[in-house]
Amino acid sequence: MSIGGELMRGPERHGRFGEFGGRFVPESLVPACEELEAGFESAWADPAFRGRLDDLLGHYGGRPTPVTECGRLSELLGIRLLLKREDLAHTGSHKLNNVIGQALLAERMGKRRLIAETGAGQHGVAAATAAALLGLECLVYMGAVDVERQGLNVFRMELLGAEVRTVQSGSRTLKDAINEALRDWVATVETTHYCIGSVMGPHPYPYIVRELQRIIGDEARAQCHELLGGSDPDVVVACVGGGSNAAGTFAGFVDTGARLVGVEAAGGAAMTNGVPGVVHGMRSRFLQDEDGQILEACSVSAGLDYPGVGPEHAYLGAVGRAEYPSAEDSEVLAAFRLLAETEGIIPALEPAHALAWVVREAGKSIPKGSAVLMTLSGRGDKDVALVRKLTQ
Amino acid sequence: MVRGVLEKALRDRRDAGRKLLVPYVTGGLGRDWLEVVRAVGAAGADAIEIGIPFSDPVMDGPVIQRASAEALNSGATPSGIIAALARADAGVPLVVMTYYNIVFRAGHRRMARTLAEAGVSGAIVPDLPIDELNGWGDEASSAGVETVLLVAPTTPRSRLKAICARSRGFVYGVGVMGVTGERASLSATALKVATVCKEETDIPVLIGVGISSPEQAREVIAVADGVVVGSALVHRLLEGAGPEGAAAFVAELRAAIDA
């Protein structure tokens, strides 16, 4: 039996990944989640739907994205570092894979209005893009703190015809944007599709988003085979906020012998510092106090500023198939700069967390000469101004 | 089946021809919140819903969000609120409303027992639908805490039947598609939800969410057994109404549904 052969297929009954997952939503939303589950199953089994999705991801989205073997950085670290280049996909991140799929699904289900939450703005930009492409209405909720630090992405979404609504409640970041999107959805569910940006939320979202993102891992597996003479990489690493690019990447390698590593931001490390809880429709791990009040995440990267994590990651961690270390802001900024200087690639701050872990562990828990595949989930244009401010 | 304290109290009053009024008060909102609970009890409430504030209340609109945040900022905790309820002596059954993470974090058994020991009769957990009720539902029942389930305007008939059969205390009909908050006029869905629930069950049917004024309460009780009024009351508390102001508003609601 191959390692992890049964992992990342299901979920089991009631949308469970072991003890995690589920559907903890107000009664008003239950029928919509059921409708979405049935809608996705039917679409996913429909060759015409799959064909249209593949066509858009290819001819519009720029897939397949390449795997780039790093020369100078590999030499510096003493490993073979391969980058899955989601930064080269249209809109500059892996988020498009998910939103094109969900927008097509919304259209198929007769829902002409999309709502989305966004942290760094990448998912918001992707959702606005898909909405423009298919002629759907789009409203993006974004925390006031994130609007401030990712102002350019706000303007991008507006250029794409979306409305951006600033969220002033709570910690005014990603978790509050999700709260606000859920509140909208409770009122508008009959005409609106909530386009969740990560492998989180109530069932079937963690499953749908993983399936829509597994193209990252499936492509990378074949590309690694080509580059590595038929072998799989020794280590597969990706950053984790909610965890969509990591879930999509891991799905392609979970049945290999590769060590799977999801890197969280130290200030939002739900896998390290969180405990089981039920928030945003799912049972997973969350940063919370002893009463169950959710704590604020705090990271340089808006995209990882989330006090929870997708339920399937909580499960992969619990069964020991994947590990979830974290990276500090300072090492992330150093890794950001290192990739720019050695490879001519400016990464987003989110995947710079994954790189920070690789840099820290190369020659230690990653033995010299190992082949490491890292998903570079997005490009760094959105972060350049912030990094400039932080490092000057 | 033995009926719980909450359901029995509401049934008895309803069967005597009275329409039911359940005001909502955010626990820990202001130093005098327990006084507010008592005043509301004396002003004509048939039961009182006490919100245990949660950091991420997705079913609540701006008024209850603000009240929850103020209560949390002033140090309110679930255990502190429940302990205070033990000495409320409000004269009517108490029902807590909170989100599932608060219950989950405390542990089902511990939360159920703590509530029962404090004399709390019921619990409303809006993000715990019937499909996920196992665990909490059983512990609550064995501790004698009645878990009130919600029916939404989107709930299909077959599901509604199951919810009505499993709900204890009363059935909470969500009057409008949306989060808690005041509305200028009564949604047509409120009467529809009340009508279908009344067709399915004999347990008291109360409508909440979007019932903001005595007039709207009066409209709803033409079909429903009663109303839950939250944001309209909490809004007044946030503006400094205090126990007297809260009692005056509840008395106004009482008069409207008794008329």
Side-chain angles (χ1 to χ4, degrees):
Chain A
M1 200 186 91
S2 59
I3 301 161
E6 298 306 312
L7 293 171
M8 305 198 86
R9 294 186 192 276
E12 300 149 35
R13 237 164 80 77
H14 297 120
R16 294 300 170 125
F17 304 95
E19 67 175 284
F20 300 104
R23 182 183 288 153
F24 297 86
V25 291
E27 177 61 25
S28 306
L29 295 180
V30 171
C33 289
E34 287 175 345
E35 181 193 359
L36 181 62
E37 186 179 357
F40 180 72
E41 288 301 345
S42 126
W44 210 227
D46 177 358
F49 180 88
R50 298 290 286 263
R52 184 148 179 244
L53 176 61
D54 288 346
D55 182 61
L56 285 175
L57 290 177
H59 294 102
Y60 179 75
R63 302 208 73 87
T65 58
V67 165
T68 299
E69 177 154 13
C70 295
R72 296 181 60 210
L73 186 53
S74 289
E75 198 180 318
L76 194 73
L77 298 174
I79 58 173
R80 249 184 117 171
L81 181 61
L82 310 174
L83 301 177
K84 178 60 174 164
R85 301 290 305 278
E86 294 299 299
D87 60 317
L88 295 178
H90 181 43
T91 76
S93 83
H94 72 291
K95 294 292 187 187
L96 194 76
N97 304 332
N98 172 37
V99 296
I100 295 275
Q102 286 202 47
L104 286 175
L105 191 58
E107 188 184 52
R108 184 182 163 106
M109 291 171 35
K111 297 191 173 178
R112 307 290 306 173
R113 178 174 180 264
L114 294 185
I115 54 171
E117 81 293 342
T118 199
Q122 295 301 85
H123 173 58
V125 166
T129 300
L133 178 69
L134 298 181
L136 305 173
E137 189 189 332
C138 182
L139 172 60
V140 180
Y141 290 96
M142 189 169 184
V145 170
D146 295 332
V147 165
E148 178 68 27
R149 58 183 170 181
Q150 299 288 350
L152 208 51
N153 267 342
V154 173
F155 186 59
R156 271 195 193 103
M157 289 183 260
E158 288 168 352
L159 278 177
L160 291 160
E163 183 192 339
V164 179
R165 205 163 287 172
T166 304
V167 176
Q168 298 286 0
S169 59
S171 60
R172 300 180 299 150
T173 61
L174 181 55
K175 94 174 163 70
D176 310 285
I178 295 169
N179 290 341
E180 225 33 61
L182 283 167
R183 291 180 186 121
D184 180 314
W185 204 35
V186 168
T188 60
V189 63
E190 284 156 301
T191 57
T192 297
H193 174 68
Y194 179 14
C195 184
I196 289 188
S198 192
V199 286
M200 48 157 296
H203 179 59
Y205 281 106
Y207 164 61
I208 290 181
V209 178
R210 182 198 72 205
E211 287 305 295
L212 291 171
Q213 291 293 2
R214 74 180 308 137
I215 193 165
I216 303 172
D218 289 343
E219 284 177 8
R221 176 109 177 244
Q223 291 163 321
C224 284
H225 280 191
E226 228 166 83
L227 288 163
L228 301 173
S231 302
D232 293 310
D234 303 302
V235 181
V236 172
V237 55
C239 62
V240 172
S244 69
N245 89 84
T249 305
F250 292 176
F253 294 94
V254 73
D255 61 346
T256 73
R259 177 182 176 193
L260 304 181
V261 182
V263 185
E264 292 188 301
M271 291 297 292
T272 303
N273 300 322
V275 294
V278 180
V279 184
H280 292 151
M282 59 180 170
R283 180 158 164 178
S284 191
R285 303 182 78 89
F286 296 90
L287 301 178
Q288 54 184 311
D289 70 12
E290 58 186 12
D291 291 326
Q293 310 294 356
I294 303 307
L295 301 174
E296 295 175 18
C298 180
S299 160
V300 67
S301 139
L304 302 185
D305 227 353
Y306 182 63
V309 65
E312 195 163 25
H313 288 297
Y315 178 59
L316 290 171
V319 299
R321 179 60 191 98
E323 57 196 288
Y324 296 89
S326 60
E328 299 284 346
D329 286 353
S330 56
E331 46 183 358
V332 170
L333 290 168
F336 177 92
R337 197 166 274 265
L338 181 66
L339 190 65
E341 288 171 355
T342 57
E343 297 294 333
I345 298 170
I346 298 178
L349 281 171
E350 290 78 19
H353 285 71
L355 185 62
W357 177 83
V358 171
V359 170
R360 189 206 303 159
E361 294 300 323
K364 294 177 189 154
S365 77
I366 308 172
K368 292 267 178 205
S370 301
V372 177
L373 174 80
M374 185 192 114
T375 296
L376 186 57
S377 57
R379 66 175 181 229
D381 307 40
K382 70 180 173 60
D383 296 315
V384 167
L386 178 66
V387 172
R388 181 184 187 194
K389 205 169 112 190
L390 288 172
T391 52
Q392 271 183 352
Chain B
M1 192 184 74
V2 184
R3 285 186 186 132
V5 170
L6 174 65
E7 183 170 336
K8 186 166 185 322
L10 295 181
R11 271 182 185 272
D12 288 351
R13 289 176 178 221
R14 177 196 62 185
D15 295 346
R18 179 176 165 103
K19 290 294 181 178
L20 306 170
L21 175 60
V22 177
Y24 170 101
V25 175
T26 299
L29 176 64
R31 286 164 179 269
D32 57 355
W33 73 270
L34 205 55
E35 289 305 317
V36 170
V37 170
R38 291 182 186 120
V40 160
D46 297 296
I48 304 169
E49 190 181 331
I50 315 293
I52 298 179
F54 177 50
S55 54
D56 295 82
V58 295
M59 194 51 207
D60 285 306
V63 169
I64 298 197
Q65 280 178 51
R66 199 182 129 204
S68 300
E70 282 192 14
L72 289 173
N73 288 340
S74 65
T77 62
S79 55
I81 289 168
I82 297 167
L85 290 177
R87 39 175 215 278
D89 195 22
V92 292
L94 302 178
V95 185
V96 295
M97 181 280 186
T98 194
Y99 287 84
Y100 184 52
N101 199 51
I102 298 292
V103 174
F104 181 84
R105 185 80 168 110
H108 294 150
R109 180 163 300 177
R110 195 175 122 212
M111 179 58 88
R113 286 183 180 171
T114 308
L115 290 172
E117 280 161 18
V120 173
S121 305
I124 302 170
V125 190
D127 56 345
L128 190 66
I130 189 169
D131 327 82
E132 303 281 4
L133 190 61
N134 289 344
W136 164 251
D138 300 340
E139 289 292 352
S141 296
S142 57
V145 173
E146 296 156 80
T147 302
V148 176
L149 299 183
L150 292 87
V151 167
T154 47
T155 305
R157 192 72 174 225
S158 58
R159 191 175 161 85
L160 182 141
K161 237 184 240 283
I163 292 171
C164 288
R166 181 61 188 84
S167 194
R168 300 287 177 265
F170 60 93
V171 169
Y172 191 131
V174 177
V176 60
M177 284 305 286
V179 294
T180 61
E182 295 164 89
R183 307 290 196 280
S185 62
L186 186 71
S187 165
T189 53
L191 293 176
K192 276 188 204 152
V193 169
T195 304
V196 288
C197 289
K198 287 300 291 173
E199 282 169 16
E200 290 299 339
T201 185
D202 182 47
I203 185 175
V205 173
L206 277 69
I207 301 295
V209 184
I211 314 292
S212 327
S213 67
E215 296 70 33
Q216 291 169 5
R218 197 171 156 64
E219 271 183 77
V220 175
I221 51 106
V223 184
D225 295 318
V227 291
V228 178
V229 178
S231 296
L233 174 57
V234 173
H235 175 193
R236 286 166 170 81
L237 292 171
L238 285 170
E239 284 177 349
E244 298 78 23
F249 181 56
V250 169
E252 216 186 310
L253 291 165
R254 181 82 256 165
I257 65 174
D258 283 348

